[in-house]
Amino acid sequence: RALLCVFCVASHRSISRGAMSDVSQGRCQHNYVVTAHKPTAVTHSAIGSFTHATETDLIVAKCTRLEIYRLTPSGLKPILDVPIYGRIATMALCKPSDNSNGKSRLFLTTERYGFTVLSYDEKTEELTTEAFGDVRDNIGRPAENGQIGIVDEQCRAVGLQLYDGLFKVIPCDSKGVLKEAFNIRLEELQVVDIQFLHGVPRPTIAVLYKDTKEAVHIKTYEIGVKQKEFTSVPWAMNDLEGGSNKIIPVPSPVGGVVVLGEETIVYLNKSEEDTEVRIKAIKIPSRANIMCYGAIDPDGSRYLLGDHDGTLYLLVVVHDTKNVTSLKLERLGETSTASTLSYLDNGVVYVGSAFGNSQLIKLHTEPCIDKDGNPTYVEIIEEFTNLGPIVDFAVVDLERHGQGQVVTCSGVQKKWKPARGEEWYRHRRAGRDSASRRERFVFSSRKRRESSG
């Protein structure tokens, strides 16, 4: 995710001949590591009013860095680029109900179980730490599917699933101040996804999980903050599609959730007037592994879906402001394999990717023809270079000027090509297997270095 260089140095300022000989032979007394290139792989993004109550900001997480952009008529304007002490595992924006300045706050957790709440100070034009701490537990097995961090839409509570069988709750008051955290035992051990429901009187979560026979189910739990436990189970649904992996909470007044699978998309909800769970489903035309989604409308009518092949879909939830009547799905076009999708405004979407170049795209109402002759609604406005993931790299002197250059073999799935090196690319076009291609490329680079000195 970030390109690092390691240097060896002697321990004294005055280096003797013997020490210089040790350094030249590789027997170094000290090492130090510096970042040669900032992280470029985008893992998370969020859209909201973070720097100003009347402005729209795009917040992008790149491993150990945060980049903040402001949406302007001329495009994205960079506001801030700051390092974070730790790899960002989860990120969410929340706006307290009693917040006088009208701005949102940013909640982050790191892979080493640190958390922080950040806000933006307009006077100093810097980030302010509102709260920070450690959410690790002394016992517990780390969650098999990675950390999950979610925030209630009304900022009443923060939910964390860090260990199998445990759900951590951090209550918040009306001003967004965090209170003492507590753990609740989860019966479900193989958790796939968790989300807070919208439009409910008390914080309620929906848990998508697998049982011991790998069957997928969903269950909702109402959280009793005073009791520090789950107080009730509003509704549940068993035997969903086996490939279901994402929950989309639908905003109020519609409410409910959309469950994304590989072959079907299902809407589920149950109100106090209903005797059973209401279901609406639609079949995906071609099998797809949906990796991320992004909301377009505040009322939850339209969502963008991105799969592992880089295909972009539009999901339409047709409703009458109370009940969902049907679901519609349409293929829009091809993008980079998306890790995150953020709809900005006026048909412009930010596609953040950890597997290729991130993109700024424009969605059109009428299809056009792409370079392969297929109809598409997607127009790429701008691309942001991403070095990750780096499959292999070598330091070479391609022009034999004594200046070493790092040649990376970057990308995965859709687009996989070296940053430089025509020799490797010719082997790729010849259809050889990837392992031998990398070995030949590195060997030929070493051979050139030996012959040049």
Side-chain angles (χ1 to χ4, degrees), residues 259-273:
V259 180
L260 304 177
E262 294 180 349
E263 297 179 350
T264 57
I265 298 175
V266 182
Y267 169 81
L268 303 169
N269 192 18
K270 182 182 179 182
S271 61
E272 295 180 356
E273 297 82 10

Side-chain angles (χ1 to χ4, degrees), residues 204-247:
T204 305
I205 61 172
V207 182
L208 186 68
Y209 66 98
K210 293 182 179 180
D211 60 16
T212 55
K213 297 181 180 179
E214 296 296 314
V216 179
H217 318 284
I218 188 170
K219 185 184 291 186
T220 58
Y221 290 103
E222 186 178 281
I223 301 173
V225 176
K226 294 182 179 180
Q227 299 87 346
K228 297 184 178 181
E229 62 181 5
F230 295 134
T231 56
S232 64
V233 180
W235 55 268
M237 177 61 68
N238 295 329
D239 297 324
L240 298 176
E241 185 206 315
S244 301
N245 63 349
K246 288 283 188 297
I247 298 176

